[in-house]
Amino acid sequence: MKVLVVNAGSSSLKYQLIDMETEKVIAKGGCERIGIAGSLLKAKGNGKEKVFEQDMPNHKVAIELVLHALRDKEVGVIKSMEEIGAVGHRMVASGEFFNKTTLVTPEVIKTLEEKTFELAPLHNPPAVTGVKACLEVMPNTPMALVFDTSFHSTMPEKAYLYGVAYEDYKDYGVRKYGFHGTSHKFVSQEAAKYLKKAPKDLKIVTCHLGNGSSISAVDGGKCVDTSMGFTPLAGVLMGTRSGDMDPSAVEFLARKKGLSHADVITYLNKKCGVAGISGVSSDFRDLIAGAQQGNKRCALALDMFEYQTKKFIGSYAAAMGGLDCIVFTAGIGENTPVVRAGVLEGLEFLGVKLDKAANEAKNDGTIHEISAKDSRVKVLVIPTNEELVIARETAELL
Ligand code: ADP
């Protein structure tokens, strides 16, 4: 079966067509500037790339163009739409309404619209627009929703509750949900396979370090805690997000800067994190270059990121009562040895011993072990593959 994985944003729609027999991506691409002048689709297939410049006033036209590209003479990989066995949609937030991959039905869409939009106003509405567009264009193809939050649904109450009044959790759903679940699930399962151990026998901390970063504690194959919270603003400081801070500072900043509370939250999402600390960039490549040239604030931003990540690893080892493996993944986790070394420095007491040469080795897109042979805790770099998880879950559900 071939599964089309769709990730729709407000003005973008990314896709991959995956052959489930080989689990290989046979075509991929993305529509940009949907609803804005100058929209285009960049499509890859057959080892070629082609740009389709076409007006895309909405997501329906975008998905029609994707289906056209999938059957194109040059970059096309299928003859007819019927070859697509299912569509898997990435959905960010499920609230407590869905705790696993779910088949798309009119009731499910209604619940998403009525209950989850306010939980993820930037992500869920455009994703549902993408689902509806696909339903219009491919009404006979089964579709599944794969939630970023599902893998975290196994967290115990003591981990996901905030110390607010219990009624606030019951009445409004104010709690930790976590994000990047498909990535944490994928890399923790890959780690178990690599280590030739059953997931039930492993205590793993997975560090998804990218533009957005989250760290999870995976005990016995199940997520027991994670660093992101009610929204992806929580946890370690990120590219442009502040990470954890005292909520009283929100009201204080609002007063000092003459902003509404909503505007302060936007500010904490878009202008803070390592970009705000360094004053230079949200991109770790720029921060590393800056620090090497003596920029103290770039060095400080890196220090803070490494320190905060280290603290999550330590606290999750304590929460799980042990640690067998640390996994690094995503843009920073996979590509920046200096950050990995900074995170791991000082964790020798936990049984972590870094192999410096292995850590410095160039990322070749495969799993590699960066802990020393005699390190009690294994440290792995594992390329994440969220699309493959979405495709697998979709195929399994059907
Ligand atoms: P997103 O959350 O947008 O998916 P990524 O996982 O792509 O983010 O991570 C982006 C971060 O990864 C940036 O800070 C970037 O500097 C860092 N990075 C470092 N090296 C690389 C690389 N070779 N390729 C991509 N990103 C890299």
Side-chain angles (χ1 to χ4, degrees):
M1 176 165 72
K2 294 183 182 76
V3 175
L4 181 65
V5 176
V6 173
N7 183 354
S10 57
S11 66
S12 69
L13 188 147
K14 288 187 251 165
Y15 69 92
Q16 288 194 1
L17 187 65
I18 300 180
D19 184 339
M20 296 317 291
E21 262 154 54
T22 57
E23 293 203 329
K24 292 265 178 293
V25 177
I26 49 177
K28 65 191 234 180
C31 304
E32 297 167 25
R33 302 178 64 86
I34 300 170
I36 308 170
S39 47
L40 52 90
L41 160 64
K42 289 182 189 155
K44 283 188 188 168
N46 284 326
K48 292 181 210 138
E49 191 169 352
K50 186 168 171 180
V51 178
F52 297 77
E53 282 181 37
Q54 190 191 303
D55 229 19
M56 286 179 255
N58 55 48
H59 287 71
K60 177 168 177 254
V61 179
I63 194 74
E64 278 168 347
L65 187 58
V66 168
L67 292 171
H68 171 78
L70 288 171
R71 290 171 293 179
D72 182 69
K73 274 203 206 85
E74 291 161 60
V75 292
V77 293
I78 55 171
K79 291 211 168 56
S80 94
M81 223 162 72
E82 278 64 49
E83 286 181 50
I84 301 171
V87 182
H89 292 274
R90 178 186 181 210
M91 199 61 60
V92 167
S94 62
E96 287 191 331
F97 307 100
F98 307 99
N99 60 7
K100 56 181 191 300
T101 296
T102 303
L103 207 59
V104 175
T105 64
E107 294 75 52
V108 164
I109 292 195
K110 190 160 175 274
T111 306
L112 281 172
E113 288 176 333
E114 288 175 2
K115 312 275 191 194
T116 72
F117 277 16
E118 61 180 2
L119 293 175
L122 297 180
H123 296 103
N124 276 19
V128 169
T129 304
V131 175
K132 286 175 157 176
C134 285
L135 281 172
E136 269 190 74
V137 180
M138 315 165 76
N140 301 318
T141 311
M143 299 194 189
L145 306 173
V146 182
F147 294 94
D148 270 13
T149 42
S150 296
F151 185 58
H152 304 303
S153 67
T154 48
M155 285 189 289
E157 224 177 10
K158 67 180 176 190
Y160 70 67
L161 281 184
Y162 292 130
V164 295
Y166 196 75
E167 292 71 35
D168 296 333
Y169 157 60
K170 278 290 166 205
D171 294 347
Y172 310 123
V174 174
R175 52 159 283 185
K176 176 191 284 196
Y177 292 106
F179 298 89
H180 296 137
T182 45
S183 179
H184 290 288
K185 179 176 184 179
F186 179 75
V187 297
S188 58
Q189 290 178 343
E190 290 294 299
K193 272 194 237 164
Y194 178 89
L195 297 170
K196 299 194 172 61
K197 292 232 166 117
K200 70 171 178 40
D201 297 328
L202 286 170
K203 295 181 191 299
I204 307 178
V205 174
T206 48
C207 306
H208 177 111
L209 310 179
N211 224 342
S213 294
S214 67
I215 297 128
S216 290
V218 184
D219 192 355
K222 293 201 165 91
C223 177
V224 292
D225 209 340
T226 193
S227 63
M228 279 182 170
F230 181 67
T231 73
L233 184 55
V236 291
L237 86 167
M238 309 175 208
T240 59
R241 297 185 193 129
S242 63
D244 290 340
M245 57 188 277
D246 184 338
S248 310
V250 172
E251 192 273 337
F252 186 80
L253 275 174
R255 233 178 326 124
K256 288 286 179 194
K257 292 172 91 78
L259 297 171
S260 67
H261 288 176
D263 287 344
V264 174
I265 297 298
T266 305
Y267 169 74
L268 294 174
N269 268 295
K270 303 213 164 183
K271 303 265 183 222
C272 294
V274 293
I277 293 290
S278 68
V280 170
S281 172
S282 63
D283 193 301
F284 275 60
R285 287 166 286 201
D286 300 336
L287 299 178
I288 291 165
Q292 280 164 351
Q293 286 155 18
N295 184 317
K296 290 209 166 59
R297 276 171 51 191
C298 285
L300 174 63
L302 290 168
D303 254 7
M304 287 175 69
F305 182 78
E306 291 161 6
Y307 174 70
Q308 294 187 6
T309 305
K310 186 200 313 281
K311 284 206 300 182
F312 271 106
I313 295 174
S315 68
Y316 288 167
M320 292 190 287
L323 182 64
D324 301 303
C325 177
I326 299 169
V327 179
F328 287 97
T329 192
I332 301 160
E334 292 169 34
N335 296 298
T336 51
V338 53
V339 172
R340 292 194 298 252
V343 169
L344 297 175
E345 196 182 68
L347 292 184
E348 292 78 10
F349 79 99
L350 272 180
V352 179
K353 200 165 157 191
L354 184 69
D355 177 334
K356 288 203 174 99
N359 184 42
E360 296 290 335
K362 201 168 158 39
N363 173 15
D364 63 358
T366 63
I367 299 183
H368 65 283
E369 194 168 334
I370 60 167
S371 43
K373 286 272 172 299
D374 58 343
S375 180
R376 202 190 51 72
V377 174
K378 299 290 169 210
V379 186
L380 305 175
V381 176
I382 303 184
T384 194
N385 194 339
E386 292 169 90
E387 289 78 12
L388 181 57
V389 178
I390 295 173
R392 277 182 188 164
E393 301 238 331
T394 301
E396 270 167 34
L397 182 71
L398 297 169

